[in-house]
Amino acid sequence: MTLPEADEVRVTTMVDNTFDALLPSAEGVTRASIGAGRTAARQFADGEALAGLRAEHGFSALVTVRSGNASSTLLFDTGASPDGLAVNAERLGIDVGGLLGVVLSHGHFDHAGGFDGLARLRGRSGLPLTVHPAVWTRRRLALPAGRPLEMPTLSRGALEREGFEVIERRQPSLLAGGILITGEVDRVTEFEHGMPQAHQAWDGNGWRHDPAVIDDQALVIDVRGRGLVIITGCGHAGVVNIIRHAMRLTGVSRLLALIGGFHLSGPAFEPVIGPTVAALTELAPELIVPGHCTGWRAQHTLAAALPDAWVQTSVGTTCTLTGNPPRISAGGRGPGGVGPGPGRVW
């Protein structure tokens, strides 16, 4: 298929595991102001504290795509807590009333917890919510010591009562503005094996090992003349699998930017850091912003391998990627549109 080329993509990290108020802005990377998040505090003479932005073990990104004079904004994931996303949106002065929809990368609680706050900010007005059908799967962590920890499971009925219009799609889906949801990701690499034995899912009769997290999906945008921007939630399918899947879907072989969680943290995933970094180094993205579940060992390895591309993640950071000027032939604009493959969702 051929994706419409975007003139500009802006990705703002709304929820992530870290917030650093002292990070400087740079070309294409705008950091939140150190003055963000003023809150009442009686112990200070002026009655205010600079609370900054909320960091938590979760992920959410605001994605805006501009083509010509038209722009579309959606929310990718909602963080872990009921109010973290909403608090950060208010402190950043972001109006969520202009959202065209929400996409969930998968059903884990740390990506789907912020719907209460989002509904509060929007006054419970309707909003399309695109998910994989397996997003409702019951899951737990059967850790070696102690009782298994069952994760909170999303409720379709509760979301619909909050005003969200649930749309289930297994296949790639094209959204407003030319944003592609990958759908289920092909698992083709030799080194990305998914979740360890402790990650289990309820199959209706019992708990079974769930390595695939089959509902894992990512967002893809083709920036004019520069390549693909890929945004992952946790990257449970494996970030290299995701990149290769996106390239097969779009026919675009150049990776411009990779942003989000790469899930390379902890003993089960640290052996995957080496081949993952090697593959990413070969792909040579211009921007890489690993966050959330990437882990500090992978962060250090990526920063050393891709020093000109690596950007430290922090809540409130906006990355802006602008396309090359369109080429106009003597006969006018070249062919565009979307080829066969994905269904248009909204």
Side-chain angles (χ1 to χ4, degrees):
M1 74 181 88
T2 301
L3 282 185
E5 290 183 310
D7 292 318
E8 183 180 86
V9 178
R10 295 196 311 275
V11 182
T12 299
T13 302
M14 300 299 298
V15 176
D16 207 331
N17 294 40
T18 61
F19 170 66
D20 188 339
L22 300 180
L23 290 175
S25 296
E27 184 178 358
V29 180
T30 304
R31 303 294 190 176
S33 167
I34 194 171
R38 291 182 178 271
T39 57
R42 289 180 295 179
Q43 71 269 29
F44 294 110
D46 59 1
E48 284 188 329
L50 299 178
L53 301 176
R54 181 83 63 84
E56 61 185 32
H57 182 80
F59 182 76
S60 176
L62 193 72
V63 182
T64 299
V65 176
R66 180 182 62 80
S67 298
N69 294 324
S71 64
S72 304
T73 301
L74 63 82
L75 189 67
F76 186 54
D77 289 346
T78 66
S81 67
D83 62 337
L85 168 64
V87 166
N88 287 339
E90 290 175 315
R91 292 181 180 180
L92 289 168
I94 292 174
D95 180 8
V96 297
L99 289 175
L100 293 183
V102 183
V103 177
L104 282 186
S105 63
H106 63 298
H108 281 162
F109 68 96
D110 48 332
H111 298 256
F115 283 101
D116 282 354
L118 180 60
R120 174 179 64 79
L121 292 182
R122 290 183 54 85
R124 300 182 187 272
S125 58
L127 199 62
L129 167 61
T130 305
V131 301
H132 185 283
V135 79
W136 322 110
T137 303
R138 286 177 61 194
R139 291 181 168 119
R140 73 176 189 178
L141 294 175
L143 302 174
R147 297 177 58 185
L149 173 65
E150 185 165 352
M151 303 181 196
T153 304
L154 270 178
S155 165
R156 177 171 184 156
L159 289 168
E160 290 175 336
R161 287 190 293 273
E162 293 280 9
F164 296 98
E165 175 193 352
V166 177
I167 302 167
E168 295 185 355
R169 295 279 302 185
R170 289 184 180 272
Q171 303 301 320
S173 303
L174 184 65
L175 309 184
I179 302 171
L180 178 69
I181 309 177
T182 59
E184 292 180 12
V185 174
D186 295 335
R187 317 298 171 99
V188 296
T189 64
E190 297 179 354
F191 53 89
E192 293 170 314
H193 304 299
M195 298 292 280
Q197 288 289 331
H199 186 262
Q200 300 178 344
W202 179 259
D203 66 3
N205 297 305
W207 292 99
R208 301 287 184 267
H209 179 210
D210 176 25
V213 192
I214 198 63
D215 44 322
D216 185 76
Q217 50 190 357
L219 298 186
V220 183
I221 304 103
D222 185 11
V223 177
R224 186 184 306 280
R226 298 187 65 193
L228 298 180
V229 174
I230 299 176
I231 308 164
T232 66
C234 262
H236 285 298
V239 292
V240 180
N241 277 330
I242 292 169
I243 294 165
R244 292 178 180 177
H245 185 77
M247 288 179 172
R248 285 194 297 274
L249 285 176
T250 63
V252 178
S253 60
R254 186 175 179 183
L255 177 65
L256 171 60
L258 182 64
I259 301 170
F262 298 177
H263 217 289
L264 295 171
S265 180
F269 294 97
E270 287 174 1
V272 185
I273 293 174
T276 299
V277 173
L280 291 176
T281 302
E282 185 176 352
L283 288 163
E286 294 184 38
L287 175 71
I288 185 167
V289 191
H292 181 39
C293 52
T294 302
W296 71 269
R297 290 185 187 275
Q299 290 280 12
H300 281 266
T301 308
L302 286 163
L306 296 162
D308 295 330
W310 182 84
V311 168
Q312 183 176 338
T313 188
S314 179
V315 178
T317 298
T318 298
C319 297
T320 302
L321 298 124
T322 304
N324 294 330
R327 291 179 294 177
I328 307 298
S329 66
R333 299 186 68 177
V338 179
R344 184 176 291 276
V345 178
W346 35 269

